[in-house]
Amino acid sequence: MKIEGSVAVVTGANRGIGLAFAQALLARGAAKVYAGVRRPEDFTEPGLEPLRLDVTDHDQVAAAARAVPDATIVVNNAGIQAGPALLEGPLDGARRELEVNYLGTWAVSRAFAPVLAAGGGGALVNMLSVASWRSTERFPSYAASKAAQWSLTNALRVALRDQGTLVVGVHVGWVDTDATVRVDEPKTEPAEVAAQTMDAIARDESEVLVDDTARRVRAALSGPLDLLYPAL
């Protein structure tokens, strides 16, 4: 679909990948980009329209859909990593991850689906992860929430096909953000994630495999289990 002239909403747009998405949309010619943030009064990024949006607050989600009735691109980027290790720690963080990463994406997608339909279909983008396909002992609940989000993305692809909505899933390994500052692994810049996603929207492509890790893990899904988990 055409990004130039579009009206976009990006959740979790105050920093990191979300801010990169919002800036990329603006740079590609979007007429207006709404940055979904919890505290719009503190958001002063030039060219972006702050929109109060906590994806776990269904009243705010509904209000956002009413506030942007002409949205043609919606990016579900809001996400957290807060869960425990596999065999220790309270489960409160795991529940929070599901609320934000999975149910938050569901709530926003559900609220904006009729808005996108009214505008001719548009695009719905879900920021996923290689963790959608491969879990670890260190971040099992985050991976579970992302696996659920990927499943939801596939359901949305089927459900929204008839209304002409392009549903895009974006998968990537480590990204250089505040959340990964202590991770000593190769990382992709948020701007690169956003750029490849913009290209996919423009080409009507439903899946973005940003880095080698995403491409390798995606390919391993069709092979024996030890391709995903060599320790087995």
Side-chain angles (χ1 to χ4, degrees), residues 120-186:
L124 179 70
V125 179
N126 289 346
M127 185 63 217
L128 305 172
S129 169
V130 294
S132 301
W133 301 320
R134 184 177 65 188
S135 188
T136 69
E137 294 180 39
R138 190 176 174 190
F139 305 115
S141 57
Y142 175 77
S145 71
K146 285 296 180 177
Q149 191 183 26
W150 179 48
S151 177
L152 174 67
T153 300
N154 290 328
L156 289 165
R157 285 188 179 120
V158 175
L160 303 185
R161 181 177 180 178
D162 287 347
Q163 71 175 43
T165 299
L166 172 69
V167 177
V168 183
V170 183
H171 296 269
V172 66
W174 296 109
V175 180
D176 192 9
T177 66
D178 293 346
T180 64
V181 67
R182 296 183 181 180
V183 176
D184 186 19
E185 297 285 350

Side-chain angles (χ1 to χ4, degrees), residues 8-140:
V9 176
V10 182
T11 70
N14 58 311
R15 60 186 180 182
I17 302 172
L19 181 57
F21 275 136
Q23 291 171 333
L25 285 159
L26 206 59
R28 298 285 182 113
K32 188 170 286 189
V33 180
Y34 291 87
V37 294
R38 292 190 178 187
R39 293 180 55 83
E41 60 271 18
D42 296 336
F43 187 82
T44 58
E45 195 67 28
L48 302 177
E49 298 285 335
L51 177 68
R52 188 178 302 278
L53 183 52
D54 176 347
V55 300
T56 68
D57 185 324
H58 286 213
D59 289 339
Q60 286 190 22
V61 171
R66 291 193 299 270
V68 195
D70 53 349
T72 52
I73 299 175
V74 175
V75 181
N76 281 307
N77 167 78
I80 62 168
Q81 186 173 314
L86 184 61
L87 299 178
E88 59 184 12
L91 297 177
D92 295 349
R95 294 187 181 93
R96 181 67 177 162
E97 285 171 336
L98 286 169
E99 283 288 340
V100 176
N101 302 346
Y102 172 48
L103 296 176
T105 295
W106 196 348
V108 171
S109 300
R110 178 185 285 180
F112 276 93
V115 174
L116 294 174
L124 179 70
V125 179
N126 289 346
M127 185 63 217
L128 305 172
S129 169
V130 294
S132 301
W133 301 320
R134 184 177 65 188
S135 188
T136 69
E137 294 180 39
R138 190 176 174 190
F139 305 115

Side-chain angles (χ1 to χ4, degrees), residues 130 133 150 154 157 171 207 209 212-223 228:
V130 294
W133 301 320
W150 179 48
N154 290 328
R157 285 188 179 120
H171 296 269
E207 188 170 72
L209 305 177
D212 288 340
T213 301
R215 289 186 284 272
R216 185 174 65 252
V217 174
R218 182 70 168 91
L221 292 178
S222 60
L228 282 176

